[in-house]
Amino acid sequence: FAAISLLFNIFYEKFDFLITRFNAFLNLEKGQSTRFDQVFDAFELMQSYLFSFLIGFGKPAISKVIPYIEVEPVYLLASYGFFGVLLHYLPLIFLIYFSYKLRKNQPKMALFVPVSIFSYLIFSLGFYFFRELQIGNLFWIVNGIIFGALLSLNKKSLA
């Protein structure tokens, strides 16, 4: 009990923030936008100019019209269009492809890359990922270390 009390006192602000956010979610007030509303508003805006599905409106224009789009794939589509979404997710596709090719020496390590990308995709449905520096950088650092180790182990086995 003492350990839980100590942790609560140390992380009181974080616990308070979680409780506040959870209460806000349960008691949605009028004027408070849900993620569904954000997605609907983004697609409604994009339907007004169909070419926007290809190239998007740009980040400054979207920020002025819709204050928040927290669903990252929709945000990317509205801001940068199909081409931007493709360029955004292409590195992830390459990581999966090359980790699959390097799986013979360390299959468990090679499996980490697609699993972490899958987790990232789930997380990005609820919040920004690449725009959030603290969370996004950690993803790229960890995957870079794992992928670099896979490459290194593969080169050692070929030598």
Side-chain angles (χ1 to χ4, degrees):
F1 181 72
I4 293 172
S5 177
L6 180 67
L7 286 174
F8 183 77
N9 287 327
I10 291 172
F11 297 108
Y12 174 76
E13 291 178 9
K14 296 204 183 287
F15 285 123
D16 187 46
F17 176 73
L18 285 172
I19 291 168
T20 303
R21 291 290 290 166
F22 191 70
N23 282 335
F25 174 73
L26 291 177
N27 305 316
L28 286 176
E29 301 169 7
K30 289 187 177 182
Q32 194 172 14
S33 176
T34 64
R35 285 183 174 89
F36 294 115
D37 294 337
Q38 296 168 8
V39 171
F40 179 76
D41 291 344
F43 280 114
E44 188 176 39
L45 178 66
M46 292 180 74
Q47 286 176 352
S48 67
Y49 186 65
L50 292 178
F51 200 60
S52 67
F53 281 98
L54 286 178
I55 60 169
F57 287 108
K59 183 181 180 295
I62 287 294
S63 297
K64 288 180 184 175
V65 177
I66 303 173
Y68 296 108
I69 305 175
E70 292 175 315
V71 180
E72 188 176 43
V74 175
Y75 170 79
L76 293 171
L77 184 64
S79 295
Y80 308 113
F82 173 74
F83 293 117
V85 170
L86 183 66
L87 290 174
H88 181 81
Y89 289 110
L90 208 55
L92 300 175
I93 294 168
F94 282 132
L95 270 176
I96 291 172
Y97 173 72
F98 288 116
S99 67
Y100 178 76
K101 286 185 78 169
L102 297 172
R103 76 188 184 287
K104 62 182 170 185
N105 294 326
Q106 293 287 330
K108 290 180 182 176
M109 192 183 294
L111 185 62
F112 176 84
V113 175
V115 168
S116 68
I117 289 172
F118 180 72
S119 302
Y120 147 74
L121 292 173
I122 291 173
F123 180 75
S124 73
L125 292 176
F127 194 67
Y128 304 115
F129 193 79
F130 279 109
R131 286 185 53 196
E132 179 64 35
L133 292 178
Q134 295 172 354
I135 298 168
N137 281 341
L138 182 62
F139 169 81
W140 286 111
I141 289 169
V142 170
N143 274 293
I145 290 169
I146 297 292
F147 195 73
L150 281 171
L151 284 173
S152 176
L153 290 170
N154 194 36
K155 286 182 181 180
K156 285 180 185 176
S157 70
L158 293 176

